[in-house]
Amino acid sequence: LNKHEGRGGWKIEDYAGAGRSNYKFTVSGVVTPPAINSTTYTFGTATYLVQEVALTGGSGTIIASLWSGTPPATPSGSGNLTKANTGVGDATIAFSNFEGVPGNPFWNAATSKLDFANYLSYNSLATPDYVFIQLGVNDVFGLTSDQSVVDFTVTAFAQLDSIIAAIKAAMPSAKIAVAASPVGANQDAFGTSYGCGQTAWRYRRNLVTYNKQLYAHYASKEAQSIYVLGSGVGVDTENNFPTTVKAINSHNSKTEDAQSNGVHPDKPGYDQISDGLFPFMKAI
């Protein structure tokens, strides 16, 4: 019901070009359609995650992203997809054609460029009055210094500008808001989500540095109907991130509610992001 084009793990560069490769299977005989962004299927030496399902009477297409393994250099031919996890969907699905397709929904493969007019037409969408872009989390997540974040934004903001320019070319009257992201949960959550892969303090520092650069870069562009929106700063990072019951430490059987997701808020947290989006639409 919440229509968006967010994709797990995607970065600014993915939306500035063709994006990560997806794969389209022309299928038939489907009884139970697979769940989007949940069910995985294997074919050959690769496993694919379902991203889009377009079926009528069990026939149509399934578009999937690469989950693991190595796909063919030039996808083609027919065969059977075999379900690889417990997600919703048939155990096997027969396909008659297999081909690679650009993963970025805004990319026009025929012209090799960003084409938002084509995107609106393909999806039968009316021209929007507002466009919200919230990117940067995956880009800066693993960086290890303030300077590396600043250096990254030089290239990244040029790419972000190119995305915005393509949007404006297709819908010149739209108001575009580049939204800052919340800075993340505590170390309990980061330990649960990422082990030793990243610490809460370094990630928070990365995102604060990134958001500061974001505010500065877009601060003077309101005359072009381009705005920077601090919607993420309204998220309660202490209370509005997912939690789980766990032992307070390895030597004590007492339990507590501990944060369990370092980056993604729970529903109240996402509602707080919307608390920044809605008044923006009312005011601008």
Side-chain angles (χ1 to χ4, degrees):
L1 295 177
N2 299 306
K3 297 179 180 179
H4 64 90
E5 291 294 357
R7 283 155 171 75
W10 274 44
K11 300 178 180 181
I12 293 170
E13 64 183 9
D14 292 312
Y15 288 102
R20 305 179 188 187
S21 294
N22 277 353
Y23 301 88
K24 182 167 71 174
F25 299 87
T26 302
V27 301
S28 60
V30 177
V31 177
T32 303
I36 294 171
N37 206 33
S38 175
T39 308
T40 57
Y41 284 89
T42 59
F43 174 66
T45 60
T47 301
Y48 303 91
L49 176 66
V50 174
Q51 295 289 350
E52 182 179 323
V53 177
L55 302 174
T56 301
S59 297
T61 60
I62 292 175
I63 293 178
S65 60
L66 181 66
W67 181 253
S68 63
T70 304
T74 306
S76 62
S78 59
N80 289 287
L81 295 169
T82 302
K83 193 164 68 167
N85 65 0
T86 59
V88 174
D90 291 349
T92 60
I93 298 176
F95 64 87
S96 58
N97 188 53
F98 173 34
E99 60 183 303
V101 294
N104 185 356
F106 308 117
W107 188 258
N108 188 333
T111 59
S112 296
K113 67 177 184 179
L114 290 172
D115 188 344
F116 285 86
N118 180 69
Y119 168 81
L120 295 175
S121 175
Y122 177 80
N123 291 284
S124 300
L125 296 172
T127 302
D129 298 313
Y130 300 90
V131 177
F132 293 96
I133 302 171
Q134 184 172 295
L135 293 170
V137 167
N138 297 317
D139 303 80
V140 305
F141 179 88
L143 300 182
T144 57
S145 70
D146 292 1
Q147 189 59 50
S148 64
V149 177
V150 174
D151 292 343
F152 158 75
T153 61
V154 174
T155 300
F157 289 167
Q159 294 172 333
L160 200 53
D161 286 343
S162 72
I163 295 171
I164 292 172
I167 295 172
K168 296 294 286 185
M171 46 191 100
S173 298
K175 297 174 175 63
I176 301 171
V178 181
S181 301
V183 295
N186 63 24
Q187 185 57 37
D188 284 337
F190 271 77
T192 298
S193 297
Y194 309 111
C196 296
Q198 183 54 291
T199 60
W201 75 266
R202 181 67 261 174
Y203 172 75
R204 288 178 173 179
R205 183 78 182 179
N206 288 353
L207 206 55
V208 166
T209 304
Y210 174 83
N211 286 341
K212 182 178 180 180
Q213 298 296 313
L214 191 75
Y215 298 145
H217 185 76
Y218 289 102
S220 60
K221 299 187 178 183
E222 293 185 359
Q224 304 170 50
S225 295
I226 301 170
Y227 306 84
V228 59
L229 181 61
S231 58
V233 302
V235 176
D236 182 347
T237 58
E238 181 176 351
N239 297 299
N240 285 351
F241 272 70
T243 61
T244 187
V245 177
K246 62 184 294 186
I248 59 174
N249 60 59
S250 60
H251 299 288
N252 195 315
S253 61
K254 293 181 180 179
T255 60
E256 64 176 350
D257 286 333
Q259 290 187 331
S260 57
N261 192 308
V263 171
H264 308 93
D266 58 12
K267 186 179 184 302
Y270 283 116
D271 288 344
Q272 287 185 311
I273 293 177
S274 73
D275 288 343
L277 308 186
F278 181 72
F280 168 82
M281 289 189 288
K282 296 292 287 185
I284 302 300

